[in-house]
Amino acid sequence: MNATQQNKIIAMLKDYRSDLKQISNGLVEQAQSQNRDDYTINGLLREYYELVGKKLQTFDEWNQQNFQVRKGEHAYHFWDKPRQRPDGSSYCPILFLFSQDQVQMAAVNATA
């Protein structure tokens, strides 16, 4: 991978994080205005997507169920579990999830 490709990926991930922060903040504000104290940010994101009928799983989870993500589909973004950097600080990477309307049954390989 060359430097231009790396810079594009880094910029894309920064955009994803920015969008996810904005959505997360809006959902937290809404939960707080409803006096809810039983939430996590990912829990609110899942509730939001489940309201519109989305069953969300990772790429690997879909593959384990013999489904494949259709080419050109874009993942839903969630926060993954916190991770430690070598300097001791922590961060939350982005978790990419796909819904049932973004996958199809995987082709069966015939072996003879």
Side-chain angles (χ1 to χ4, degrees), residues 26-52:
L27 291 171
V28 167
E29 287 175 15
Q30 183 179 11
Q32 289 172 339
S33 72
Q34 297 169 348
N35 293 320
R36 289 184 58 186
D37 58 359
D38 63 336
Y39 67 86
T40 63
I41 294 173
N42 275 349
L44 293 173
L45 287 166
R46 280 197 182 274
E47 283 179 21
Y48 173 77
Y49 289 120
E50 286 173 2
L51 285 175
V52 292

PDB file of all heavy atoms in Angstrom, residues 26-52:
ATOM      1  N   GLY A  26     -25.748  12.803  19.936  1.00  0.00           N
ATOM      2  CA  GLY A  26     -27.177  13.054  19.780  1.00  0.00           C
ATOM      3  C   GLY A  26     -28.027  12.027  20.503  1.00  0.00           C
ATOM      4  O   GLY A  26     -29.015  12.375  21.161  1.00  0.00           O
ATOM      5  N   LEU A  27     -27.642  10.762  20.402  1.00  0.00           N
ATOM      6  CA  LEU A  27     -28.392   9.705  21.081  1.00  0.00           C
ATOM      7  C   LEU A  27     -28.264   9.813  22.599  1.00  0.00           C
ATOM      8  O   LEU A  27     -29.229   9.588  23.328  1.00  0.00           O
ATOM      9  CB  LEU A  27     -27.925   8.328  20.595  1.00  0.00           C
ATOM     10  CG  LEU A  27     -28.292   7.983  19.150  1.00  0.00           C
ATOM     11  CD1 LEU A  27     -27.598   6.694  18.720  1.00  0.00           C
ATOM     12  CD2 LEU A  27     -29.792   7.876  18.974  1.00  0.00           C
ATOM     13  N   VAL A  28     -27.073  10.178  23.091  1.00  0.00           N
ATOM     14  CA  VAL A  28     -26.882  10.346  24.528  1.00  0.00           C
ATOM     15  C   VAL A  28     -27.725  11.516  25.035  1.00  0.00           C
ATOM     16  O   VAL A  28     -28.387  11.417  26.078  1.00  0.00           O
ATOM     17  CB  VAL A  28     -25.384  10.550  24.870  1.00  0.00           C
ATOM     18  CG1 VAL A  28     -25.196  11.038  26.297  1.00  0.00           C
ATOM     19  CG2 VAL A  28     -24.620   9.252  24.648  1.00  0.00           C
ATOM     20  N   GLU A  29     -27.733  12.628  24.302  1.00  0.00           N
ATOM     21  CA  GLU A  29     -28.552  13.777  24.698  1.00  0.00           C
ATOM     22  C   GLU A  29     -30.032  13.388  24.762  1.00  0.00           C
ATOM     23  O   GLU A  29     -30.741  13.774  25.694  1.00  0.00           O
ATOM     24  CB  GLU A  29     -28.354  14.940  23.724  1.00  0.00           C
ATOM     25  CG  GLU A  29     -27.028  15.637  23.870  1.00  0.00           C
ATOM     26  CD  GLU A  29     -26.806  16.711  22.819  1.00  0.00           C
ATOM     27  OE1 GLU A  29     -27.771  17.125  22.136  1.00  0.00           O
ATOM     28  OE2 GLU A  29     -25.650  17.150  22.674  1.00  0.00           O
ATOM     29  N   GLN A  30     -30.471  12.617  23.791  1.00  0.00           N
ATOM     30  CA  GLN A  30     -31.864  12.171  23.782  1.00  0.00           C
ATOM     31  C   GLN A  30     -32.153  11.275  24.992  1.00  0.00           C
ATOM     32  O   GLN A  30     -33.174  11.430  25.659  1.00  0.00           O
ATOM     33  CB  GLN A  30     -32.171  11.425  22.485  1.00  0.00           C
ATOM     34  CG  GLN A  30     -33.603  10.986  22.363  1.00  0.00           C
ATOM     35  CD  GLN A  30     -33.871  10.271  21.043  1.00  0.00           C
ATOM     36  OE1 GLN A  30     -32.947   9.925  20.311  1.00  0.00           O
ATOM     37  NE2 GLN A  30     -35.122  10.044  20.746  1.00  0.00           N
ATOM     38  N   ALA A  31     -31.263  10.343  25.294  1.00  0.00           N
ATOM     39  CA  ALA A  31     -31.457   9.447  26.439  1.00  0.00           C
ATOM     40  C   ALA A  31     -31.467  10.246  27.740  1.00  0.00           C
ATOM     41  O   ALA A  31     -32.278   9.990  28.627  1.00  0.00           O
ATOM     42  CB  ALA A  31     -30.362   8.384  26.467  1.00  0.00           C
ATOM     43  N   GLN A  32     -30.587  11.224  27.848  1.00  0.00           N
ATOM     44  CA  GLN A  32     -30.543  12.046  29.059  1.00  0.00           C
ATOM     45  C   GLN A  32     -31.803  12.895  29.204  1.00  0.00           C
ATOM     46  O   GLN A  32     -32.307  13.068  30.309  1.00  0.00           O
ATOM     47  CB  GLN A  32     -29.293  12.923  29.062  1.00  0.00           C
ATOM     48  CG  GLN A  32     -28.023  12.128  29.277  1.00  0.00           C
ATOM     49  CD  GLN A  32     -26.764  12.949  29.103  1.00  0.00           C
ATOM     50  OE1 GLN A  32     -26.757  13.994  28.460  1.00  0.00           O
ATOM     51  NE2 GLN A  32     -25.665  12.457  29.656  1.00  0.00           N
ATOM     52  N   SER A  33     -32.336  13.396  28.096  1.00  0.00           N
ATOM     53  CA  SER A  33     -33.563  14.195  28.167  1.00  0.00           C
ATOM     54  C   SER A  33     -34.759  13.338  28.579  1.00  0.00           C
ATOM     55  O   SER A  33     -35.752  13.850  29.087  1.00  0.00           O
ATOM     56  CB  SER A  33     -33.841  14.889  26.825  1.00  0.00           C
ATOM     57  OG  SER A  33     -34.273  13.958  25.862  1.00  0.00           O
ATOM     58  N   GLN A  34     -34.653  12.025  28.362  1.00  0.00           N
ATOM     59  CA  GLN A  34     -35.706  11.090  28.773  1.00  0.00           C
ATOM     60  C   GLN A  34     -35.420  10.535  30.169  1.00  0.00           C
ATOM     61  O   GLN A  34     -36.085   9.603  30.612  1.00  0.00           O
ATOM     62  CB  GLN A  34     -35.813   9.938  27.773  1.00  0.00           C
ATOM     63  CG  GLN A  34     -36.215  10.364  26.384  1.00  0.00           C
ATOM     64  CD  GLN A  34     -36.058   9.253  25.356  1.00  0.00           C
ATOM     65  OE1 GLN A  34     -35.445   8.217  25.610  1.00  0.00           O
ATOM     66  NE2 GLN A  34     -36.610   9.483  24.179  1.00  0.00           N
ATOM     67  N   ASN A  35     -34.418  11.092  30.832  1.00  0.00           N
ATOM     68  CA  ASN A  35     -34.009  10.657  32.168  1.00  0.00           C
ATOM     69  C   ASN A  35     -33.661   9.174  32.225  1.00  0.00           C
ATOM     70  O   ASN A  35     -33.931   8.500  33.213  1.00  0.00           O
ATOM     71  CB  ASN A  35     -35.078  10.995  33.217  1.00  0.00           C
ATOM     72  CG  ASN A  35     -35.225  12.477  33.397  1.00  0.00           C
ATOM     73  OD1 ASN A  35     -34.239  13.209  33.411  1.00  0.00           O
ATOM     74  ND2 ASN A  35     -36.456  12.939  33.511  1.00  0.00           N
ATOM     75  N   ARG A  36     -33.063   8.670  31.163  1.00  0.00           N
ATOM     76  CA  ARG A  36     -32.610   7.280  31.142  1.00  0.00           C
ATOM     77  C   ARG A  36     -31.208   7.216  31.710  1.00  0.00           C
ATOM     78  O   ARG A  36     -30.364   8.033  31.389  1.00  0.00           O
ATOM     79  CB  ARG A  36     -32.591   6.755  29.706  1.00  0.00           C
ATOM     80  CG  ARG A  36     -33.964   6.546  29.123  1.00  0.00           C
ATOM     81  CD  ARG A  36     -33.895   5.942  27.753  1.00  0.00           C
ATOM     82  NE  ARG A  36     -33.185   4.660  27.783  1.00  0.00           N
ATOM     83  CZ  ARG A  36     -32.892   3.983  26.695  1.00  0.00           C
ATOM     84  NH1 ARG A  36     -33.225   4.424  25.507  1.00  0.00           N
ATOM     85  NH2 ARG A  36     -32.260   2.828  26.783  1.00  0.00           N
ATOM     86  N   ASP A  37     -30.967   6.240  32.534  1.00  0.00           N
ATOM     87  CA  ASP A  37     -29.618   6.031  33.036  1.00  0.00           C
ATOM     88  C   ASP A  37     -29.162   4.590  32.800  1.00  0.00           C
ATOM     89  O   ASP A  37     -28.150   4.156  33.319  1.00  0.00           O
ATOM     90  CB  ASP A  37     -29.524   6.384  34.516  1.00  0.00           C
ATOM     91  CG  ASP A  37     -30.485   5.578  35.377  1.00  0.00           C
ATOM     92  OD1 ASP A  37     -31.240   4.751  34.833  1.00  0.00           O
ATOM     93  OD2 ASP A  37     -30.463   5.768  36.605  1.00  0.00           O
ATOM     94  N   ASP A  38     -29.922   3.880  31.971  1.00  0.00           N
ATOM     95  CA  ASP A  38     -29.665   2.463  31.714  1.00  0.00           C
ATOM     96  C   ASP A  38     -29.049   2.237  30.334  1.00  0.00           C
ATOM     97  O   ASP A  38     -29.287   1.232  29.709  1.00  0.00           O
ATOM     98  CB  ASP A  38     -30.967   1.679  31.803  1.00  0.00           C
ATOM     99  CG  ASP A  38     -31.980   2.108  30.745  1.00  0.00           C
ATOM    100  OD1 ASP A  38     -31.890   3.258  30.259  1.00  0.00           O
ATOM    101  OD2 ASP A  38     -32.855   1.298  30.399  1.00  0.00           O
ATOM    102  N   TYR A  39     -28.263   3.177  29.847  1.00  0.00           N
ATOM    103  CA  TYR A  39     -27.793   3.064  28.474  1.00  0.00           C
ATOM    104  C   TYR A  39     -26.274   3.012  28.388  1.00  0.00           C
ATOM    105  O   TYR A  39     -25.571   3.431  29.295  1.00  0.00           O
ATOM    106  CB  TYR A  39     -28.295   4.241  27.640  1.00  0.00           C
ATOM    107  CG  TYR A  39     -27.701   5.574  28.046  1.00  0.00           C
ATOM    108  CD1 TYR A  39     -26.484   5.992  27.529  1.00  0.00           C
ATOM    109  CD2 TYR A  39     -28.337   6.405  28.948  1.00  0.00           C
ATOM    110  CE1 TYR A  39     -25.926   7.190  27.898  1.00  0.00           C
ATOM    111  CE2 TYR A  39     -27.791   7.608  29.334  1.00  0.00           C
ATOM    112  CZ  TYR A  39     -26.574   7.997  28.802  1.00  0.00           C
ATOM    113  OH  TYR A  39     -26.013   9.193  29.171  1.00  0.00           O
ATOM    114  N   THR A  40     -25.831   2.455  27.276  1.00  0.00           N
ATOM    115  CA  THR A  40     -24.459   2.601  26.812  1.00  0.00           C
ATOM    116  C   THR A  40     -24.572   3.195  25.415  1.00  0.00           C
ATOM    117  O   THR A  40     -25.632   3.122  24.790  1.00  0.00           O
ATOM    118  CB  THR A  40     -23.726   1.244  26.729  1.00  0.00           C
ATOM    119  OG1 THR A  40     -24.392   0.417  25.759  1.00  0.00           O
ATOM    120  CG2 THR A  40     -23.685   0.549  28.079  1.00  0.00           C
ATOM    121  N   ILE A  41     -23.517   3.766  24.936  1.00  0.00           N
ATOM    122  CA  ILE A  41     -23.591   4.386  23.607  1.00  0.00           C
ATOM    123  C   ILE A  41     -23.900   3.333  22.551  1.00  0.00           C
ATOM    124  O   ILE A  41     -24.783   3.521  21.718  1.00  0.00           O
ATOM    125  CB  ILE A  41     -22.297   5.159  23.290  1.00  0.00           C
ATOM    126  CG1 ILE A  41     -22.180   6.353  24.238  1.00  0.00           C
ATOM    127  CG2 ILE A  41     -22.280   5.609  21.840  1.00  0.00           C
ATOM    128  CD1 ILE A  41     -20.891   7.110  24.154  1.00  0.00           C
ATOM    129  N   ASN A  42     -23.209   2.192  22.582  1.00  0.00           N
ATOM    130  CA  ASN A  42     -23.494   1.145  21.603  1.00  0.00           C
ATOM    131  C   ASN A  42     -24.899   0.590  21.783  1.00  0.00           C
ATOM    132  O   ASN A  42     -25.558   0.212  20.819  1.00  0.00           O
ATOM    133  CB  ASN A  42     -22.460   0.024  21.667  1.00  0.00           C
ATOM    134  CG  ASN A  42     -21.236   0.322  20.832  1.00  0.00           C
ATOM    135  OD1 ASN A  42     -21.216   1.260  20.053  1.00  0.00           O
ATOM    136  ND2 ASN A  42     -20.205  -0.472  20.992  1.00  0.00           N
ATOM    137  N   GLY A  43     -25.368   0.520  23.021  1.00  0.00           N
ATOM    138  CA  GLY A  43     -26.742   0.077  23.266  1.00  0.00           C
ATOM    139  C   GLY A  43     -27.740   1.011  22.597  1.00  0.00           C
ATOM    140  O   GLY A  43     -28.716   0.561  21.988  1.00  0.00           O
ATOM    141  N   LEU A  44     -27.491   2.310  22.696  1.00  0.00           N
ATOM    142  CA  LEU A  44     -28.369   3.285  22.034  1.00  0.00           C
ATOM    143  C   LEU A  44     -28.292   3.149  20.518  1.00  0.00           C
ATOM    144  O   LEU A  44     -29.311   3.231  19.827  1.00  0.00           O
ATOM    145  CB  LEU A  44     -27.994   4.709  22.454  1.00  0.00           C
ATOM    146  CG  LEU A  44     -28.241   5.075  23.910  1.00  0.00           C
ATOM    147  CD1 LEU A  44     -27.656   6.449  24.218  1.00  0.00           C
ATOM    148  CD2 LEU A  44     -29.728   5.041  24.232  1.00  0.00           C
ATOM    149  N   LEU A  45     -27.098   2.936  19.994  1.00  0.00           N
ATOM    150  CA  LEU A  45     -26.952   2.749  18.546  1.00  0.00           C
ATOM    151  C   LEU A  45     -27.711   1.506  18.088  1.00  0.00           C
ATOM    152  O   LEU A  45     -28.419   1.540  17.080  1.00  0.00           O
ATOM    153  CB  LEU A  45     -25.472   2.635  18.163  1.00  0.00           C
ATOM    154  CG  LEU A  45     -24.656   3.924  18.225  1.00  0.00           C
ATOM    155  CD1 LEU A  45     -23.168   3.623  18.175  1.00  0.00           C
ATOM    156  CD2 LEU A  45     -25.050   4.851  17.087  1.00  0.00           C
ATOM    157  N   ARG A  46     -27.579   0.410  18.828  1.00  0.00           N
ATOM    158  CA  ARG A  46     -28.298  -0.822  18.465  1.00  0.00           C
ATOM    159  C   ARG A  46     -29.802  -0.605  18.520  1.00  0.00           C
ATOM    160  O   ARG A  46     -30.529  -1.039  17.639  1.00  0.00           O
ATOM    161  CB  ARG A  46     -27.895  -1.977  19.371  1.00  0.00           C
ATOM    162  CG  ARG A  46     -26.590  -2.602  18.973  1.00  0.00           C
ATOM    163  CD  ARG A  46     -26.431  -3.968  19.625  1.00  0.00           C
ATOM    164  NE  ARG A  46     -25.161  -4.533  19.280  1.00  0.00           N
ATOM    165  CZ  ARG A  46     -24.927  -5.246  18.181  1.00  0.00           C
ATOM    166  NH1 ARG A  46     -25.888  -5.465  17.322  1.00  0.00           N
ATOM    167  NH2 ARG A  46     -23.729  -5.734  17.936  1.00  0.00           N
ATOM    168  N   GLU A  47     -30.293   0.059  19.572  1.00  0.00           N
ATOM    169  CA  GLU A  47     -31.724   0.358  19.673  1.00  0.00           C
ATOM    170  C   GLU A  47     -32.189   1.151  18.463  1.00  0.00           C
ATOM    171  O   GLU A  47     -33.234   0.875  17.885  1.00  0.00           O
ATOM    172  CB  GLU A  47     -32.023   1.182  20.937  1.00  0.00           C
ATOM    173  CG  GLU A  47     -32.041   0.406  22.205  1.00  0.00           C
ATOM    174  CD  GLU A  47     -32.312   1.305  23.407  1.00  0.00           C
ATOM    175  OE1 GLU A  47     -32.862   2.421  23.248  1.00  0.00           O
ATOM    176  OE2 GLU A  47     -31.963   0.893  24.525  1.00  0.00           O
ATOM    177  N   TYR A  48     -31.401   2.143  18.103  1.00  0.00           N
ATOM    178  CA  TYR A  48     -31.737   2.998  16.968  1.00  0.00           C
ATOM    179  C   TYR A  48     -31.892   2.169  15.692  1.00  0.00           C
ATOM    180  O   TYR A  48     -32.875   2.297  14.970  1.00  0.00           O
ATOM    181  CB  TYR A  48     -30.648   4.062  16.798  1.00  0.00           C
ATOM    182  CG  TYR A  48     -30.773   4.908  15.558  1.00  0.00           C
ATOM    183  CD1 TYR A  48     -31.707   5.932  15.492  1.00  0.00           C
ATOM    184  CD2 TYR A  48     -29.954   4.678  14.458  1.00  0.00           C
ATOM    185  CE1 TYR A  48     -31.820   6.714  14.355  1.00  0.00           C
ATOM    186  CE2 TYR A  48     -30.060   5.457  13.328  1.00  0.00           C
ATOM    187  CZ  TYR A  48     -30.995   6.471  13.273  1.00  0.00           C
ATOM    188  OH  TYR A  48     -31.102   7.235  12.144  1.00  0.00           O
ATOM    189  N   TYR A  49     -30.922   1.304  15.416  1.00  0.00           N
ATOM    190  CA  TYR A  49     -30.982   0.502  14.194  1.00  0.00           C
ATOM    191  C   TYR A  49     -32.044  -0.593  14.275  1.00  0.00           C
ATOM    192  O   TYR A  49     -32.670  -0.924  13.274  1.00  0.00           O
ATOM    193  CB  TYR A  49     -29.613  -0.090  13.862  1.00  0.00           C
ATOM    194  CG  TYR A  49     -28.626   0.953  13.384  1.00  0.00           C
ATOM    195  CD1 TYR A  49     -27.443   1.187  14.060  1.00  0.00           C
ATOM    196  CD2 TYR A  49     -28.896   1.728  12.266  1.00  0.00           C
ATOM    197  CE1 TYR A  49     -26.547   2.153  13.624  1.00  0.00           C
ATOM    198  CE2 TYR A  49     -28.010   2.691  11.827  1.00  0.00           C
ATOM    199  CZ  TYR A  49     -26.835   2.902  12.503  1.00  0.00           C
ATOM    200  OH  TYR A  49     -25.960   3.864  12.074  1.00  0.00           O
ATOM    201  N   GLU A  50     -32.248  -1.160  15.459  1.00  0.00           N
ATOM    202  CA  GLU A  50     -33.260  -2.216  15.603  1.00  0.00           C
ATOM    203  C   GLU A  50     -34.666  -1.671  15.409  1.00  0.00           C
ATOM    204  O   GLU A  50     -35.559  -2.400  14.977  1.00  0.00           O
ATOM    205  CB  GLU A  50     -33.111  -2.899  16.961  1.00  0.00           C
ATOM    206  CG  GLU A  50     -31.902  -3.819  17.013  1.00  0.00           C
ATOM    207  CD  GLU A  50     -31.617  -4.381  18.391  1.00  0.00           C
ATOM    208  OE1 GLU A  50     -32.374  -4.094  19.341  1.00  0.00           O
ATOM    209  OE2 GLU A  50     -30.614  -5.110  18.518  1.00  0.00           O
ATOM    210  N   LEU A  51     -34.864  -0.386  15.710  1.00  0.00           N
ATOM    211  CA  LEU A  51     -36.178   0.220  15.493  1.00  0.00           C
ATOM    212  C   LEU A  51     -36.579   0.193  14.023  1.00  0.00           C
ATOM    213  O   LEU A  51     -37.760   0.162  13.705  1.00  0.00           O
ATOM    214  CB  LEU A  51     -36.206   1.666  16.009  1.00  0.00           C
ATOM    215  CG  LEU A  51     -36.270   1.826  17.513  1.00  0.00           C
ATOM    216  CD1 LEU A  51     -36.157   3.299  17.895  1.00  0.00           C
ATOM    217  CD2 LEU A  51     -37.559   1.237  18.075  1.00  0.00           C
ATOM    218  N   VAL A  52     -35.603   0.209  13.142  1.00  0.00           N
ATOM    219  CA  VAL A  52     -35.902   0.144  11.711  1.00  0.00           C
ATOM    220  C   VAL A  52     -35.668  -1.257  11.155  1.00  0.00           C
ATOM    221  O   VAL A  52     -35.548  -1.442   9.946  1.00  0.00           O
ATOM    222  CB  VAL A  52     -35.092   1.207  10.917  1.00  0.00           C
ATOM    223  CG1 VAL A  52     -35.564   2.599  11.251  1.00  0.00           C
ATOM    224  CG2 VAL A  52     -33.603   1.077  11.140  1.00  0.00           C
TER     225      VAL A  52
END
